[in-house]
Amino acid sequence: MHELATCYLRTKSGDVEGHVATFDSDVIVLEVREPVEGREIGDAASLTVLDPVRGLCRYVGLLGGMAGSTVQLVVLERGLPDQRRSAARAAYRVECTGKLETATGVEPLPVTVVDVSAAGVRFVTRRRLASGDVVRFAMAVGEGDVELAARVLRIEEGQHEWRYGCELLDVDERTRETLFRLVLRLQRAEAKERSLARW
């Protein structure tokens, strides 16, 4: 169960990303991107797994053996899968033609989405926006599009463009599920590529 699914291990030292190698008899073996620092066997930890079938699954347990990028988690408690949770985020680059809502009307705004979750997006554009600005655009997902309205929350200045972290407004259940499935697919593909690269 969960093999190759992307996961996030949380300890008192912080979070590390990885993927599930095996899940057998309440012991989850993980391959993590970075070694778990400052932790010992028996320390408390929690795990969030982005399973493409079961959705987002949580586990609470104790750290078992740790050797390099391999970490064991002895499961003490299992949370229920949450198909709608929006925490998972994935890189997703796609160009869109947006519409910026202003006090005087609507202006066209080309944007490039760079990552996505079920509750937010991050995009770049050459235009300076303000916190609270709303941009509407259709984003390609598979063979179709989803209509999104993104409100700017965070602003990062780049060398030639601006990067904006946005929350999505008025997201219906169908759109949220579409975005969450997209994130799971992207996360799974990334985990599989990392696993193949090790061989």
Side-chain angles (χ1 to χ4, degrees):
M1 184 171 64
H2 298 324
E3 278 76 8
L4 293 182
T6 298
C7 63
Y8 297 89
L9 179 68
R10 171 165 290 182
T11 71
K12 289 183 179 180
S13 300
D15 295 356
V16 292
E17 182 180 350
H19 70 271
V20 176
T22 62
F23 190 153
D24 182 33
S25 188
D26 289 332
V27 175
I28 305 176
V29 179
L30 314 172
E31 291 290 331
V32 294
R33 284 189 175 184
E34 303 172 3
V36 177
E37 302 288 349
R39 298 289 91 201
E40 299 178 353
I41 293 175
D43 286 348
S46 62
L47 182 71
T48 301
V49 180
L50 308 176
D51 190 289
V53 176
R54 303 183 68 221
L56 192 148
C57 303
R58 289 196 188 87
Y59 301 91
V60 175
L62 303 176
L63 292 176
M66 293 176 284
S69 63
T70 302
V71 179
Q72 294 181 354
L73 178 72
V74 180
V75 177
L76 300 178
E77 180 181 340
R78 303 182 187 208
L80 294 175
D82 184 351
Q83 294 286 350
R84 294 178 297 277
R85 189 164 177 83
S86 59
R89 180 175 295 274
Y92 185 60
R93 192 171 187 89
V94 61
E95 295 182 0
C96 308
T97 301
K99 295 178 181 179
L100 173 64
E101 297 180 353
T102 68
T104 57
V106 176
E107 300 176 12
L109 180 70
V111 301
T112 302
V113 173
V114 293
D115 69 36
V116 63
S117 77
V121 296
R122 188 160 39 173
F123 65 74
V124 296
T125 185
R126 292 183 178 276
R127 177 164 176 173
R128 179 71 163 92
L129 303 178
S131 181
D133 281 350
V134 175
V135 180
R136 298 183 183 274
F137 55 91
M139 186 180 74
V141 177
E143 297 181 356
D145 295 333
V146 290
E147 297 289 337
L148 302 176
R151 179 164 55 200
V152 173
L153 296 181
R154 294 176 303 279
I155 302 171
E156 303 171 27
E157 183 177 1
Q159 188 173 1
H160 302 293
E161 59 192 9
W162 298 84
R163 183 180 297 254
Y164 299 97
C166 306
E167 66 174 340
L168 296 178
L169 304 177
D170 304 323
V171 182
D172 59 35
E173 201 64 20
R174 182 176 180 181
T175 299
R176 191 179 301 276
E177 291 292 345
T178 298
L179 293 174
F180 189 69
R181 286 195 299 271
L182 170 66
V183 171
L184 288 176
R185 177 169 59 81
L186 294 170
Q187 293 276 15
R188 183 175 175 82
E190 182 183 351
K192 187 173 182 179
E193 287 178 9
R194 290 199 305 269
S195 178
L196 292 174
R198 291 192 174 97
W199 292 94

